[in-house]
Structure formats: structure tokens, C-alpha cells
Amino acid sequence: MNKELDDDFINALMISLQDERIIEKIKEIAEAAEADLFSQLREPKDLLKDKEIARLQQEIESKKEEINEYQIKVHNLNQKINSYFNELQKRRADYREAEELYGTVQQLSETTRNSLKRIFKGNTVQEFIVCGVQYENISSLWDFIKNEIMEGREQERGTLLTLFQYFFQEYSKTYDTPLYKPQEVKINEVFREDLHIRTLNSKISGNVTEILLPGYISINGKIIKKSIVRI
């Protein structure tokens, strides 16, 4: 009896399965089940993918911050390098000028070089610079040039004057406020004994026609060395 019922049910089911509406319904159920299964399989992958993207984005932001910090450090280092380089170039230029001047001094007459040895001791450019920036030596050099002019030996005055002016300027740079400054003398101004010293081949009075050796004064205006002039 039960077997007959089962057979009838199976026969009825087989007939129903041939119905297009039943077939469509079964397809809909199968497709829905497949979609649900695919969604369940995809969700963990998408979740893992999103987490990985978030982790990578966080890592990228961290690297950007590091890069920014290093860029700031590089910028600061470049500024220091440029500052050091400019200072080095400046010192090289100063040293080159002193080196060239030292070479020029070596071209002076033997008599003049021997006289200058009392002021510039040593045989190197470094010793030449060290001696030259000392005030006592600058003052002695001025006196030496004055004596040469007053004795009528003006052939090497140009080189000696350049030598004096260079070290006078370098000495002034060692102070925030220079202790001395050149005396202001103009061509055609009236000769004054309290301001000038005239050469032996000058007129007794008159106007200044040539400034052979500029003098210098202290910061408060006191005359230290009167300018040597020709009238």
C-alpha cells in the first residue's frame, strides 16, 4: 500500500516536473541558491582585500611622513652646505688675493724686500698674512712708505700702497666697529699742516695736487697719520 502511494507520488512528481512553470520555478530557486553561495564565498575575499588595502594605505601615509621628514633634513643640510661653500669661496678669494700680493712683494727690489723683512717675518703666505694683520706692523709699513716717499724713492710706491691698503682693510674687519678709518683728503683742497704732510719737492703752500699716501684717523676723529701729499 505504501509502495503504491510512493509510486503514485513519484508519477505525479514526474508529470509536474514536465510543467514549464515548475521548471522555471526550479531554475529560479537554483539560481538564487547559486548566487547566495557565490556571495558567501566572495564576502571573506572582499573583506580581506579591503583590510589589505587599508593596511597598505596606512603604510603609504607613514612612508609619506618619513619622506617629508627626510626632505626637511635634506633642505636644512643643503642650506648649511651652501653657507659653508659660500664661506669657503670667500676665504679662498681672500687667501688668493693675499697670495697674489705676496707674489707681487717678491718682485720688489732686493733693498725694499730686505727692509720689509723687519715687518713681514717668515717665508710663507701664511706668515705673511699673520704679520700683515697686526696693527704694529701696519703702522710700521705706513712709516716705511712715508720714508720712501720723503726720500724721493717712489718707483715702488704703487705696490707698497696696495700692500698697506690691503692689510689696513683686513685689520679693520677683525672688529665689529673698526678702530681706524682712512683720512678723507680731496684733490684741490687747501694744504694744512695740521692735516697733511707735504713732500720735499712741493710748494710751501697751495692746494693739494696729488695724494701719495693716505693717512688714517681713529674712530673718534683723532689724526693718527697725516696724509702725504704733493702741492
Side-chain angles (χ1 to χ4, degrees):
M1 182 69 178
N2 292 334
K3 184 175 181 305
E4 291 178 358
L5 289 173
D6 290 342
D7 289 341
D8 291 339
F9 175 76
I10 290 171
N11 290 329
L13 181 61
M14 292 298 293
I15 293 171
S16 298
L17 290 174
Q18 296 177 6
D19 190 322
E20 291 183 359
R21 292 176 300 172
I22 299 298
I23 293 172
E24 289 297 323
K25 190 64 176 177
I26 291 172
K27 285 183 178 180
E28 290 178 4
I29 294 172
E31 289 175 355
E34 182 179 1
D36 183 61
L37 178 61
F38 180 77
S39 176
Q40 291 179 8
L41 291 174
R42 186 182 61 181
E43 185 175 357
K45 292 182 179 180
D46 290 343
L47 184 60
L48 289 173
K49 184 177 180 181
D50 291 342
K51 287 182 178 180
E52 180 66 13
I53 290 173
R55 185 187 69 78
L56 290 174
Q57 286 178 335
Q58 185 177 5
E59 187 174 341
I60 289 171
E61 291 301 319
S62 176
K63 295 299 182 184
K64 284 182 178 179
E65 291 180 2
E66 288 184 24
I67 291 171
N68 186 53
E69 290 177 0
Y70 281 118
Q71 285 177 333
I72 292 173
K73 290 180 180 179
V74 169
H75 177 71
N76 292 336
L77 286 173
N78 282 335
Q79 284 187 323
K80 288 183 179 179
I81 290 171
N82 289 335
S83 177
Y84 291 146
F85 179 76
N86 291 335
E87 184 64 23
L88 178 61
Q89 291 295 95
K90 181 181 177 182
R91 292 185 181 276
R92 281 180 175 175
D94 290 342
Y95 185 82
R96 187 181 302 113
E97 187 176 357
E99 189 174 32
E100 291 174 353
L101 188 55
Y102 177 76
T104 302
V105 169
Q106 305 314 305
Q107 303 303 315
L108 293 171
S109 65
E110 185 177 356
T111 301
T112 301
R113 290 200 313 272
N114 289 334
S115 297
L116 290 176
K117 284 183 180 179
R118 296 182 291 103
I119 301 172
F120 298 99
K121 301 175 177 63
N123 298 306
T124 66
V125 178
Q126 292 85 348
E127 292 168 329
F128 174 71
I129 295 172
V130 170
C131 291
V133 294
Q134 296 181 38
Y135 176 74
E136 294 78 6
N137 291 334
I138 293 172
S139 177
S140 296
L141 177 60
W142 191 95
D143 289 337
F144 173 74
I145 300 172
K146 171 193 172 185
N147 185 66
E148 291 293 288
I149 294 172
M150 300 304 288
E151 294 292 333
R153 295 187 290 269
E154 298 184 24
Q155 297 86 348
E156 299 175 310
R157 181 176 62 87
T159 299
L160 294 172
L161 183 57
T162 300
L163 182 62
F164 168 77
Q165 290 174 330
Y166 173 78
F167 283 118
F168 186 84
Q169 292 173 359
E170 293 303 306
Y171 174 75
S172 296
K173 292 177 183 177
T174 61
Y175 294 89
D176 293 333
T177 302
L179 300 180
Y180 307 100
K181 60 182 180 179
Q183 182 185 31
E184 293 185 6
V185 181
K186 297 180 181 179
I187 299 297
N188 291 326
E189 70 177 54
V190 177
F191 171 78
R192 290 174 49 182
E193 290 189 354
D194 60 329
L195 299 178
H196 317 117
I197 298 174
R198 62 183 178 84
T199 58
L200 297 179
N201 57 351
S202 292
K203 297 177 182 179
I204 297 177
S205 63
N207 296 337
V208 174
T209 59
E210 188 177 2
I211 303 167
L212 301 177
L213 176 60
Y216 58 92
I217 62 177
S218 66
I219 194 65
N220 59 11
K222 179 182 178 181
I223 297 178
I224 307 301
K225 304 285 187 182
K226 299 178 185 178
S227 297
I228 311 300
V229 301
R230 181 171 286 128
I231 304 172

